[in-house]
């Protein structure tokens, strides 16, 4: 399969995994609290779980909002744990999906919570700030983002790079 097509498939699959994990965590939390309203399709932005927030305490709303980023953090480190196993697979497509999924799960929420939320709306940060001051939450997610980036650069990327180079040299 063409490299460019593999990259597009990898990115699309990674975005789907991200939404399933992130919004799935919001959905499970909303169901747990009994406040699930519906799933909103937001066009190019994606999907969002809508809740009856007037039935929730501030703490419950904060927990609902932080569960998405926490779930992607956990799933991202599951991908880190599985990196060598994925890199040992013969399928270039699966390895490409593994790389892009690791990248998105580890970086998207920290980038959003630290930078992008200021430009496109608070989203999860609006609820997280009910649990702690926004400045502290921003610092926490900045540190998480730095650690995640370091993990990607020092551990994940070299393994994927080596696996693709090795597979290409065998051809």
């Amino acid at each position: 399969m063409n490299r460019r097509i593999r990259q597009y498939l990898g990115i699309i699959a990674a975005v789907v995994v991200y939404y399933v994990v992130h919004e799935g965590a919001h959905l499970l939390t909303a169901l747990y609290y009994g406040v699930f309203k519906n799933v909103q399709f937001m066009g190019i932005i994606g999907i969002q779980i809508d809740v009856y927030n007037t039935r929730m305490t501030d703490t419950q709303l904060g927990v609902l909002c932080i569960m998405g980023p926490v779930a992607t953090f956990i799933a991202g480190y599951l991908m880190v744990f599985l990196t060598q196993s994925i890199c040992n697979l013969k399928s270039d497509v699966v390895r490409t999906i593994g790389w892009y999924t690791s990248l998105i799960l580890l970086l998207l929420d920290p980038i959003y919570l630290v930078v992008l939320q200021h430009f496109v709306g608070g989203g999860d940060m609006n609820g997280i700030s009910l649990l702690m001051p926004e400045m502290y939450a921003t610092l926490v997610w900045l540190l998480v983002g730095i650690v995640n980036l370091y993990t990607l650069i020092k551990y994940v990327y070299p393994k994927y790079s080596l696996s693709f180079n090795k597979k290409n040299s065998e051809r």
Side-chain angles (χ1 to χ4, degrees):
M1 177 180 294
N2 178 306
R3 180 179 177 207
R4 182 71 57 202
I5 293 171
R6 267 196 331 269
Q7 288 174 328
Y8 286 130
L9 283 174
I11 291 167
I12 290 167
V15 169
V16 168
V17 168
Y18 170 82
Y19 274 114
V20 167
V21 171
H22 184 98
E23 296 302 329
H26 289 317
L27 175 62
L28 292 175
T29 306
L31 290 170
Y32 176 78
Y33 287 138
V35 295
F36 173 71
K37 191 176 193 178
N38 63 31
V39 177
Q40 290 185 339
F41 293 92
M42 313 287 285
I44 192 143
I45 296 171
I47 63 171
Q48 182 177 5
I49 303 303
D50 194 13
V51 297
Y52 295 103
N53 60 346
T54 56
R55 299 181 191 169
M56 301 175 76
T57 67
D58 285 353
T59 301
Q60 289 174 324
L61 188 55
V63 169
L64 174 88
C65 289
I66 204 165
M67 289 308 291
V70 167
T72 60
F73 175 84
I74 292 167
Y77 277 93
L78 177 61
M79 292 298 295
V80 170
F81 178 73
L82 295 172
T83 296
Q84 191 59 57
S85 297
I86 295 169
C87 287
N88 289 337
L89 297 173
K90 291 181 180 180
S91 171
D92 287 346
V93 173
V94 174
R95 286 184 289 120
T96 302
I97 290 170
W99 164 246
Y100 283 110
T101 301
S102 298
L103 193 68
I104 287 177
L105 288 174
L106 291 172
L107 294 181
L108 190 58
D109 280 332
I111 290 170
Y112 179 79
L113 291 169
V114 173
V115 179
L116 298 178
Q117 60 103 4
H118 297 290
F119 302 103
V120 295
D124 288 337
M125 185 59 86
N126 292 335
I128 294 169
S129 65
L130 297 172
L131 299 175
M132 68 180 75
E134 186 174 330
M135 183 178 76
Y136 294 151
T138 300
L139 288 173
V140 166
W141 285 103
L142 176 61
L143 290 173
V144 166
I146 291 168
V147 169
N148 290 356
L149 182 60
Y150 181 83
T151 301
L152 281 163
I153 292 169
K154 290 294 188 178
Y155 180 77
V156 178
Y157 176 75
K159 289 190 182 296
Y160 276 103
S161 182
L162 182 63
S163 79
F164 282 110
N165 288 336
K166 188 188 301 183
K167 299 295 180 189
N168 288 334
S169 67
E170 291 174 0
R171 290 183 181 157

